[in-house]
Amino acid sequence: MIETIKTYLNEQRDQHIEELMQFLRIPSISAVAEHQPDMIRCAEWTAKSLKKAGLENIEIMSTGGHPVVYADWLHAPGKPTALVYGHYDVQPAEPLELWNTPPFEPVIQDGKLFGRGSTDDKGQLLLYAKVIEAFLRTHGSLPVNVKFCIEGEEEIASKHLPAFVEKYKDKLQADTIVLSDTQMQGPGKPALMYGLRGLAGFEITVDGANSDLHSGLFGGAVQNPIHALSKVLSSFHDENGRVAVEGFYDRVIELSDKEREAFKQVEPDANKVRSDLHVETLYGEKGFSFYEQTTSRPTLEITSVSGGFQGEGIKPIIPNRASAKIACRLVAAQVPEEIMDAVENHIRAISMPGVKVTLDRQLRGNPFITPIDEPVMVAAAEAYEDTYGVWPVYTRSGGSIPIVEVLGRVLDAPVVLLGFGLPGENLHAPNEHFHLVNWDKGTETISRFWLKLAAMSK
């Protein structure tokens, strides 16, 4: 069956790439209000593309923001159901002067398709529609049941999608969730990203007197909010780089021996990192490698500090306010609210007479993980190996994609991040592009993945 699918995709390749270029010509920039008509146009284009592929029950559904495009094909009784997630919105193209070609006039050069959205995420998303088209045109059916949930707000933090998923969780229910919005390790080197860190962001404010004070008249007798804040900030880590907040690590799931071995395949050269960053030495939690520190360990980072006179010269005052912003990256199974509770308790335990301390909780995002031995992950790895000839490496991201965790948690299904982008394809930057070799291998990998999912139900 796979050879028939590959033959069809090869025969239709030019037409499929032309359709992708049509997709890329729509400036669906979700962050800019003047592109609202383009967002509607792009949602309509996406819906028509899914209909052309043979999907059914297609809807453009309101969210309170940019719409979600839904579609399904549910005629494989007894077989698993896969929910395909993706997004049709793109980042702004500025600065335009740094593009070699206009961002919304896609061109192919040296086997790469240039245009905003080519790798993030229109190119990778359209792979799924074309695979479905291939199965339905050649065999009249799909090996599994499929649903699509395509949003228009991923580039603005999926503002309305969590509520949408909660509201329509029965409609979206699936046995697994798959998305292609990530990168491979390198050319010919597939990667399965199985973990993302979560986020807890908050601002600490220390208030002292009711106004700034003359440091000569009041210095030494009135608490300085900057001094108090400095005491708090310096208490957050011990001498080994470990977060010194009680309870901070209580829920952390330690790496397995298998994961640590897998990490060795993707561990960067620490000396090169140090050299590239122009720092004399790297610094982090003792006992963990650079890759472990930046992907599988939680952090507490002070991202900004402010207080007092910031202009040129010195103004000899005791400021009446000081503040700091904190970003904690979290790992499974930490809970943002619990971490902020622990930090607040830590601060309250520090003696700081003469000032008032408040903590404003602003950002929350749960971490995500799908175990690498989950059956759907094994199926995805086998599909990669059959296509690329090598077993994928397993990676975690130090960053956060909160909607991935929301989908997995609300729908109670494992999430597979089946990426086909490459490092250096300039997503979010000028001259974004997609290597078309991974268009071909992407459609093959997804086809094999559907077949392997179907075989799991025997």
Side-chain angles (χ1 to χ4, degrees):
M1 178 179 288
I2 190 64
E3 293 305 321
T4 305
I5 297 296
K6 288 170 62 178
T7 297
Y8 176 87
L9 290 166
N10 184 59
E11 291 173 348
Q12 299 296 317
R13 185 181 191 271
D14 289 347
Q15 175 60 31
H16 290 169
I17 297 299
E18 173 53 36
E19 290 178 32
L20 173 55
M21 294 173 80
Q22 294 174 16
F23 201 11
L24 297 179
R25 290 187 184 106
I26 304 173
S28 49
I29 304 170
S30 54
V32 181
E34 68 183 60
H35 285 283
Q36 175 66 21
D38 296 314
M39 296 301 298
I40 299 300
R41 184 159 61 99
C42 199
E44 292 172 345
W45 192 98
T46 303
K48 290 178 182 177
S49 178
L50 296 177
K51 182 177 181 180
K52 179 180 179 181
L55 287 149
E56 303 169 342
N57 302 312
I58 297 165
E59 298 179 66
I60 298 177
M61 304 178 69
S62 61
T63 66
H66 302 308
V68 164
V69 181
Y70 173 86
D72 62 35
W73 188 94
L74 304 174
H75 303 292
K79 298 299 183 181
T81 298
L83 174 69
V84 178
Y85 163 81
H87 64 94
Y88 62 85
D89 65 323
V90 300
Q91 282 281 331
E94 286 78 4
L96 298 178
E97 66 273 12
L98 296 183
W99 286 79
N100 295 329
T101 58
F104 295 105
E105 296 178 19
V107 296
I108 297 174
Q109 297 176 348
D110 300 322
K112 295 175 282 190
L113 176 57
F114 286 82
R116 174 57 89 226
S118 54
T119 189
D120 181 22
D121 177 45
K122 291 179 178 179
Q124 297 197 63
L125 169 59
L126 201 61
L127 293 170
Y128 289 88
K130 295 310 166 190
V131 167
I132 286 169
E133 176 188 312
F135 272 103
L136 293 178
R137 296 286 175 85
T138 59
H139 294 87
S141 64
L142 301 179
V144 294
N145 301 293
V146 177
K147 298 178 180 180
F148 277 72
C149 176
I150 312 302
E151 71 159 320
E153 297 187 339
E154 195 274 345
E155 300 294 3
I156 52 174
S158 301
K159 291 181 180 180
H160 296 91
L161 195 60
F164 179 91
V165 174
E166 290 278 4
K167 181 177 181 179
Y168 294 104
K169 62 183 178 181
D170 291 339
K171 186 183 190 73
L172 300 174
Q173 195 59 59
D175 299 297
T176 188
I177 301 155
V178 60
L179 62 120
S180 295
D181 196 11
T182 55
Q183 296 181 346
M184 305 201 309
Q185 187 67 14
K189 298 178 180 179
L192 271 175
M193 184 177 292
Y194 71 99
L196 299 163
R197 291 201 285 193
L199 181 64
F202 50 91
E203 184 171 8
I204 302 168
T205 301
V206 180
D207 286 303
N210 59 359
S211 68
D212 291 350
L213 302 174
H214 190 290
S215 63
L217 298 178
F218 292 94
V222 177
Q223 175 72 283
N224 185 321
I226 294 179
H227 294 180
L229 179 62
S230 299
K231 184 177 182 180
V232 170
L233 301 182
S234 65
S235 74
F236 282 148
H237 298 85
D238 65 18
E239 64 277 7
N240 292 316
R242 186 177 173 86
V243 178
V245 174
E246 184 177 352
F248 190 83
Y249 295 95
D250 285 357
R251 286 184 177 267
V252 173
I253 300 174
E254 301 294 336
L255 289 173
S256 66
D257 291 340
K258 185 176 181 180
E259 287 175 296
R260 283 203 157 192
E261 283 300 311
F263 278 14
K264 291 178 181 179
Q265 299 182 51
V266 295
E267 182 72 44
D269 182 341
N271 286 326
K272 185 178 187 304
V273 174
R274 178 189 56 75
S275 176
D276 289 346
L277 297 178
H278 293 182
V279 295
E280 291 186 1
T281 185
L282 298 178
Y283 173 82
E285 187 182 4
K286 301 294 184 184
F288 299 93
S289 71
F290 176 85
Y291 191 76
E292 290 169 346
Q293 289 168 343
T294 56
T295 62
S296 65
R297 297 298 294 172
T299 64
L300 187 157
E301 296 292 341
I302 303 161
T303 63
S304 73
V305 179
S306 61
F309 177 67
Q310 302 294 315
E312 184 178 354
I314 296 175
K315 184 178 181 182
I317 60 163
I318 299 171
N320 72 322
R321 170 172 286 188
S323 64
K325 296 180 181 180
I326 310 292
C328 298
R329 295 291 179 171
L330 310 180
V331 299
Q334 290 180 301
V335 179
E337 210 63 44
E338 290 182 1
I339 292 300
M340 289 188 281
D341 285 344
V343 170
E344 189 159 6
N345 290 336
H346 176 88
I347 294 171
R348 300 298 177 207
I350 299 172
S351 176
M352 291 179 289
V355 294
K356 177 184 177 182
V357 182
T358 56
L359 191 145
D360 179 22
R361 307 179 183 204
Q362 299 177 4
L363 300 176
R364 299 167 180 82
N366 291 322
F368 150 81
I369 192 167
T370 297
I372 60 178
D373 56 359
E374 180 79 32
V376 293
M377 290 288 282
V378 175
E382 291 174 347
Y384 267 138
E385 183 183 40
D386 290 348
T387 301
Y388 286 89
V390 293
W391 194 262
V393 296
Y394 294 102
T395 64
R396 289 197 192 190
S397 171
S400 307
I401 310 176
I403 196 58
V404 172
E405 185 276 334
V406 171
L407 287 166
R409 171 173 47 82
V410 174
L411 302 181
D412 192 23
V415 183
V416 179
L417 282 75
L418 203 65
F420 300 102
L422 284 177
E425 287 186 333
N426 290 9
L427 67 165
H428 293 202
N431 301 311
E432 179 181 350
H433 57 279
F434 184 48
H435 286 72
L436 291 178
V437 64
N438 290 320
W439 171 273
D440 302 319
K441 291 188 177 294
T443 52
E444 180 180 345
T445 303
I446 294 167
S447 301
R448 292 183 182 277
F449 182 51
W450 290 159
L451 292 170
K452 291 180 184 296
L453 284 184
M456 287 169 53
S457 64
K458 290 181 180 179

